[in-house]
Amino acid sequence: MANSRSAKPNSRTAPGQTAHKIKITLRDSRPPIWRRLEVPSGTTLRELHDVIQAAFGWEDYHMWAFESGRDRYGVTDRDLGIRNAASERLGQVAPHTGDRLRYTYDFGDGWEHDILIEDVTAPAAGTAYPRCLTGRRACPPEDCGGIWGYAYLIEILADPRHEEHEDRLEWLGLDSADQFDPAAFEAAQVNSALSALATVLVKN
């Protein structure tokens, strides 16, 4: 892994206080579905779960886990080898630029998210974290069968003559297929969803 770029303590920044810039990509999505976020390095993995749910638009219905090497973190489950995600912080399990984590949401559909640590920096004064910098494409609907089921869903919605077209519209609660835009993304909307989780690390 590459070396981290740690923040240099100064009059505005508590020693050791940093922010992680991370890119989270939904594995096997074509075109890629991703979000670039900045989060406090001290964020627990339990808190990071909430951040990812809000940033992508998931509804937190299902089991989830982070993987770092051989370790798994989530809601503690000895049978599945899952340790308590509230006991580990992002800066502990992925301290360096270039480090990676895996986040899986819904063990049935298997939504796998690849998390890349792009940078570790001093937090900006007066800035609330977590925040979304940018991203691409809409989050898939819950329970649509994983990434391959989502691709099939888009195919069905694009073909009004498909035998499942009307059933899928009804399932999604839509009147017409153009009410769901898989290319839609608005950073402002994501930041609104993240606002309940945000805090200013360094005062002006």
Side-chain angles (χ1 to χ4, degrees), residues 6-29:
S6 300
K8 294 180 180 179
N10 56 44
S11 60
R12 298 180 304 147
T13 308
Q17 187 177 65
T18 57
H20 271 48
K21 182 166 77 171
I22 61 178
K23 184 178 181 182
I24 309 171
T25 304
L26 193 56
R27 175 169 278 219
D28 294 323
S29 56

